[in-house]
Amino acid sequence: MFRNQYDTDVTTWSPQGRLFQVEYAMEAVKQGAACVGIRSGNYVVLATVNKAASELSSHQRKLFRVADHVGVAFSGLTADGRVLSRFLRSECINHAFVYEAPLPVSRLALRLADKAQVCTQRSWKRPYGVGLLVAGLDETGAHLYYNCPSGNYFEYQAFAIGSRSQAAKTFLERRYEGFNKYTPEQLIKDALSAIKETLQGEKLTSSNCTIAIVGRRDDGTVEPFQMIDAERIQAIIDSMEAAEEAPAEPSSTQEEDKSSDAAAPMDI
């Protein structure tokens, strides 16, 4: 059986300049359950697919609250995601204890990236096989970051990771220009639509997706990170399906054209 001699540890580079263990970790993210994040000027919405290993088991939770102002969704190895979510909670608690203020989201994403990057340069470690969408609110507004197993991190207006995430990215790329002015309800609807794109024919219901939101109202009141209950999600899904099934009303110009065609004499 062929054995790759360059993937025995994470510090061995191939002749082409590749770290295979890091690539394996990034592949684990691609094979995980899909996650979607969308942000406007004051709100961030996270959505995940609830995918069970078998019909006899429950799904594994992929969406976690870190603090009142920040939460994470992840795709990949659930065990690694839980470890990193606990690390993020500790960072937020320690910062709040020392400075009596919430930890900025950009600094939290940076600390997470540093922790992941250390695992790519120690031979006795392995990369975390999980990618995280970090959504939060601070004094500078709403933020959405993607943290990669390689230690890279990027800020996005909207992003999707996990299995069949390319379909969700295509949907988001067509609509991202208007996200800054979206209301929370519109963000949730687009997040559900993006999740629906990843299901490929499977019916979207409140039982196979999870939604969370954090943001600030127009009056300055902060809405802490919270999961949206299943009843509200199902009501939004039902309204979306009803809007899709409703027939389009003919415009007034089309009606005038039809009436003029009916009244026109026949040429002989």
Side-chain angles (χ1 to χ4, degrees):
M1 181 178 177
F2 176 75
R3 178 181 176 86
N4 191 338
Q5 59 180 320
Y6 301 108
D7 64 356
T8 53
D9 63 73
V10 73
T11 58
T12 301
W13 295 80
S14 74
Q16 293 78 27
R18 298 166 60 185
L19 287 174
F20 285 105
Q21 285 204 10
V22 175
E23 293 183 12
Y24 297 160
M26 296 173 71
E27 187 64 27
V29 177
K30 294 180 183 179
Q31 299 297 327
C35 301
V36 173
I38 307 176
R39 74 173 174 91
S40 65
N42 294 322
Y43 285 88
V44 191
V45 169
L46 292 177
T48 62
V49 174
N50 299 337
K51 186 167 66 173
S54 72
E55 295 180 357
L56 300 177
S57 67
S58 62
H59 67 274
Q60 291 182 315
R61 190 177 170 194
K62 300 279 187 174
L63 193 55
F64 288 91
R65 172 188 171 276
V66 173
D68 284 342
H69 70 294
V70 64
V72 296
F74 55 81
S75 177
L77 299 180
T78 307
D80 287 358
R82 288 198 300 267
V83 169
L84 291 177
S85 64
R86 284 198 298 269
F87 166 76
L88 295 177
R89 288 194 193 102
S90 298
E91 291 296 310
C92 288
I93 291 172
N94 293 338
H95 188 277
F97 179 78
V98 174
Y99 299 102
E100 297 182 358
L103 179 62
V105 184
S106 60
R107 195 174 302 172
L108 183 65
L110 175 61
R111 293 183 184 179
L112 177 60
D114 288 342
K115 184 176 179 63
Q117 200 275 333
V118 168
C119 295
T120 68
Q121 58 185 20
R122 299 286 188 271
S123 61
W124 60 91
K125 291 180 178 289
R126 66 164 178 83
Y128 290 106
V130 64
L132 290 94
L133 293 178
V134 182
L137 181 76
D138 54 28
E139 295 179 351
T140 61
H143 299 278
L144 175 67
Y145 289 91
Y146 168 56
N147 283 77
C148 182
S150 64
N152 289 321
Y153 72 103
F154 310 91
E155 185 171 10
Y156 285 93
Q157 184 79 43
F159 198 60
I161 58 176
S163 178
R164 306 189 188 100
S165 61
Q166 187 56 50
K169 291 178 188 176
T170 303
F171 172 83
L172 296 172
E173 287 169 358
R174 293 199 303 262
R175 304 173 64 90
Y176 79 96
E177 293 180 354
F179 285 159
N180 268 333
K181 299 179 181 178
Y182 268 27
T183 63
E185 197 81 5
Q186 290 174 315
L187 287 176
I188 294 171
K189 286 183 177 180
D190 271 15
L192 287 170
S193 297
I195 286 292
K196 186 177 181 181
E197 293 290 329
T198 68
L199 297 178
Q200 288 190 345
E202 183 181 349
K203 184 177 177 59
L204 178 66
T205 63
S206 59
S207 62
N208 60 8
C209 66
T210 305
I211 308 287
I213 188 170
V214 61
R216 182 185 291 113
R217 300 190 183 97
D218 293 335
D219 59 1
T221 307
V222 175
E223 291 187 21
F225 188 88
Q226 59 183 335
M227 307 289 180
I228 298 176
D229 59 87
E231 294 180 359
R232 183 183 174 191
I233 294 175
Q234 190 60 51
I236 295 174
I237 293 173
D238 293 340
S239 66
M240 291 167 57
E241 292 177 349
E244 291 176 357
E245 295 174 358
E249 297 181 359
S251 62
S252 58
T253 56
Q254 291 175 341
E255 292 178 352
E256 291 175 359
D257 293 341
K258 289 181 180 179
S259 61
S260 62
D261 290 344
M266 185 185 299
D267 293 334
I268 300 176

